Amino acid sequence: MTRRHFLPDALIAEASQAAGGVTDFGDPSFRPALEVLCRALDEEARLSDTGRHVFKLKLVGQLATRLRLEDDLHRHPEILGEVVAPPLVIVGLPRTGTTKLHRLLSRDPRFWWMAFWESQFPLPLTGEAPGDPKARIAEGHKLVDMMTTAMPKLMAIHPMAAEEADEEVMLMEHSMLSAFDAYASIPSYSQWLNQQDQSPAYRFLARMLQHLQWQKRRRGIRAQRWVLKAPHHLQRMDILLKVFPGAQVIQTHRDPLRSIPSIASFIDTLWRIYSDQADPVEAGRTWSERMRLGLDHTMRVRQGSPAAFMDVQFQDTVKRPMDVVRRIYDFIGWDLSPDVQAGMRAWLIEDEKSHSAAHDYSAETFGLSDAQIERDFAAYRERHILSATA
């Protein structure tokens, strides 16, 4: 019998203690998800002792954040009065320029955006004022240093920066209905998740954005709408548009022949943080299929809401980023002032300086081949890649 290390009741008790004894988690839909996740972590993930410890800390911290969120909403009901305008959402396969585009747009002060430190520490720490997050920013820097020291390859795959814009999927993890299989091989959880209504994850995201927006106002930050970014939304585009009506979507494109092996390398790198038995072939094949399903889903959703989407090719983001920005601003109906353009150009110069060594990988290492990728992604490549280069 598999020894149980991840016990939902024990994790919940630890989280309550960490949150000062409060017990209201809000929406109870997280509980069955937590139970399935814990079972999969024990039975399938092949976690190392260190990986098990880090994953426990992660789950306890996320559960404690849920508790503290509900407590904050009770003590500050005005948070729920924050109006989250329809966001601009960047989606696309990982490794298609989404991070570069997200951080470039974040230079415009009219956009709300979430920094990495906020994704990890979204609520004020005990004794910390909402308008003075210096302690959380410092913790964010420590976490980035720890992650990049433990796995230097990460910087070449996904540039880590505590105070730059990052993915809101890390907020959605608090729902326990999210891409935890990015950290470990847990196929039973993944299969279960695909059969669930994931609206609670997006509703939780909306509440977290209200709280972050409320905090930013207390720091004197004024903006108009959020710019979000997460490849995860490809798989749940219908729910994203339902929970955030009026959202506009920028979809980035790069040939899967290039992006899919790169994604496989990224996932394999993440799995190795938590396990010393990570299987690169399993990582590659699992996430190749995951991305295929996500692209197919988004293509179907786009047929019913074509005006909500704008396409951007990876090479344009790399070679002509300001041309891409001007197209985006035409799409959303905003002017692009000289000051904003100057800030974006200055960031592009600094971003070029920060690039580290090339990300080296081989498709075969991850059980992938050009023939398989061409077959699996034929519909997507025909619509968004081959037609764009014809």
Side-chain angles (χ1 to χ4, degrees), residues 65-200:
T65 295
R66 282 189 68 102
L67 289 167
R68 292 170 53 230
L69 173 64
E70 294 303 318
D71 188 53
D72 277 1
L73 296 178
H74 176 73
R75 291 184 296 107
H76 300 283
E78 70 273 14
I79 294 173
L80 292 175
E82 287 286 337
V83 177
V84 175
L88 179 65
V89 187
I90 303 168
V91 302
L93 294 181
R95 313 294 295 148
T96 61
T98 56
T99 298
K100 184 183 186 77
L101 197 53
H102 189 205
R103 293 178 179 175
L104 182 58
L105 293 178
S106 75
R107 274 41 232 175
D108 189 331
R110 290 172 293 182
F111 280 122
W112 304 104
W113 51 277
M114 181 194 70
F116 175 80
W117 67 265
E118 291 175 289
S119 75
Q120 302 300 307
F121 309 100
L123 304 184
L125 303 175
T126 301
E128 182 186 59
D132 185 17
K134 287 194 292 290
R136 282 183 287 160
I137 295 173
E139 289 299 315
H141 280 279
K142 290 179 185 177
L143 184 57
V144 167
D145 290 344
M146 180 191 73
M147 293 173 67
T148 54
T149 299
M151 196 63 65
K153 190 177 178 181
L154 272 178
M155 287 300 289
I157 303 174
H158 177 75
M160 302 289 296
E163 298 185 60
E164 287 284 4
D166 220 306
E167 296 183 10
E168 64 276 3
V169 70
M170 290 180 278
L171 298 179
M172 298 171 70
E173 290 176 1
H174 295 76
S175 70
M176 301 297 145
L177 294 161
S178 192
F180 285 100
D181 50 3
Y183 308 113
S185 172
I186 43 176
S188 64
Y189 172 81
S190 303
Q191 293 164 11
W192 177 88
L193 183 66
N194 287 337
Q195 299 170 0
Q196 309 306 307
D197 175 15
Q198 293 180 47
S199 298

Side-chain angles (χ1 to χ4, degrees), residues 261-279:
S262 184
I263 294 165
S265 177
F266 182 35
I267 295 298
D268 179 59
T269 299
L270 290 177
W271 282 12
R272 290 179 187 279
I273 294 175
Y274 297 92
S275 173
D276 50 17
Q277 302 177 57
D279 181 352

Side-chain angles (χ1 to χ4, degrees), residues 20 32 71 84 110 142 154 194 226-227 240 248 265 273 277 295 300 308-309 314 321 325 337 347 358 380:
D71 188 53
V84 175
R110 290 172 293 182
K142 290 179 185 177
L154 272 178
N194 287 337
W226 284 85
V227 57
L240 171 74
Q248 292 176 286
S265 177
I273 294 175
Q277 302 177 57
L295 289 174
R300 290 193 299 271
F309 290 82
F314 172 72
V325 168
S337 72
W347 180 83
Y380 170 78

Side-chain angles (χ1 to χ4, degrees), residues 69 79-80 82-84 171-172 199-213 226 228 243-244:
L69 173 64
I79 294 173
L80 292 175
E82 287 286 337
V83 177
V84 175
L171 298 179
M172 298 171 70
S199 298
Y202 283 86
R203 290 195 295 267
F204 185 86
L205 172 61
R207 288 160 74 88
M208 289 299 293
L209 293 180
Q210 285 179 303
H211 200 308
L212 289 174
Q213 193 167 292
W226 284 85
L228 305 175
V243 174
F244 295 97

Side-chain angles (χ1 to χ4, degrees), residues 369-383:
S369 70
D370 285 357
Q372 165 257 315
I373 293 171
E374 288 177 345
R375 181 190 68 242
D376 291 350
F377 294 86
Y380 170 78
R381 293 183 78 239
E382 178 64 30
R383 179 169 178 178

